[in-house]
Amino acid sequence: MRIAGSLWSVPVDARPHRLATAVAAGLPVVHWDASDGRFAAPGGFTPSAAGRLLASTPPVESEAHLMSHAPAPDVPAWAELCTTIVVPLEVDGAPAAVAAIEARGVRPALAVSLGTPLEQVPSGLPVLLMAITPGEAGAPFDPAVLDRVRRLRDRGRNPLVGVDGGIGPGHFSALAEAGAQWLVSGTSLFQAPDTGAWLEACRRSVPEG
């Protein structure tokens, strides 16, 4: 199970400490959100801001989610930091961005909004199914995503199927049953009284597979 933590909803001044604490507790991946302010609400991180936070943190894997209508120009800078870069399926610039990500030797993935028919999801790429509206950090988890996970897993054409948004301990078992292989959490993870216990509960409830 791939577990990634998004800092978007964490207050700016608290980010260095919360990130370092989470990584020390075993967080394996940091998820950097970036928005152009049009595809999703303004906010998130630039590569330089992410780099500064990473410089003061123990080594940890990074992935980026570029919520932008034209993500390709941002790929080179993010590729310096990340092993995976996610772009929205719904934007015209998605094919060019996927090509740019692959050209940099980084794994591309597609984010798919709740209202997007799954028939539009191409085969062969990791998929991150949104459980909230993109950019609405802290929004509640929409359980409609669970059936979408099942349908993609049953189809068997994507190497990794994940869920992003609103995920907390109360969702772990349902996500495991649906077949999710990749989880992105922000508010619940970084506000947990014991980040290590949060991560361990996720690992116990969502076995590798």
Side-chain angles (χ1 to χ4, degrees), residues 28 56 78 126-127 151 181 190 193 198:
S56 60
W78 281 110
V127 174
R151 289 167 59 193
Q181 302 158 295
F190 285 106
W198 193 104

Side-chain angles (χ1 to χ4, degrees), residues 129-156:
L129 296 169
M130 300 303 298
I132 62 173
T133 299
E136 293 189 358
F141 177 87
D142 190 329
V145 76
L146 296 171
D147 182 62
R148 291 166 67 80
V149 173
R150 292 187 192 96
R151 289 167 59 193
L152 282 189
R153 289 302 307 273
D154 289 346
R155 190 177 77 163

Side-chain angles (χ1 to χ4, degrees), residues 33-192:
D33 293 295
S35 172
D36 63 1
R38 295 188 299 124
F39 183 82
F45 296 86
T46 62
S48 59
R52 287 192 295 272
L53 282 166
L54 289 170
S56 60
T57 302
V60 62
E61 182 180 350
S62 285
E63 64 187 33
H65 183 181
L66 310 185
M67 291 175 277
S68 168
H69 283 279
D74 297 324
V75 165
W78 281 110
E80 295 295 320
L81 300 174
C82 299
T83 60
T84 299
I85 297 177
V86 186
V87 297
L89 169 65
E90 297 82 7
V91 301
D92 291 340
V98 167
I101 295 164
E102 291 176 331
R104 293 278 170 167
V106 175
R107 178 172 64 173
L110 295 172
V112 182
S113 295
L114 275 164
T116 300
L118 294 181
E119 291 75 17
Q120 295 181 15
V121 177
S123 302
L125 291 174
V127 174
L128 190 60
L129 296 169
M130 300 303 298
I132 62 173
T133 299
E136 293 189 358
F141 177 87
D142 190 329
V145 76
L146 296 171
D147 182 62
R148 291 166 67 80
V149 173
R150 292 187 192 96
R151 289 167 59 193
L152 282 189
R153 289 302 307 273
D154 289 346
R155 190 177 77 163
R157 299 177 187 170
N158 300 94
L160 189 67
V161 177
V163 177
D164 181 359
I167 296 171
H171 308 116
F172 294 161
S173 294
L175 286 163
E177 181 181 344
Q181 302 158 295
W182 173 17
L183 306 181
V184 179
S185 180
T187 303
S188 175
L189 170 61
F190 285 106
Q191 290 186 358

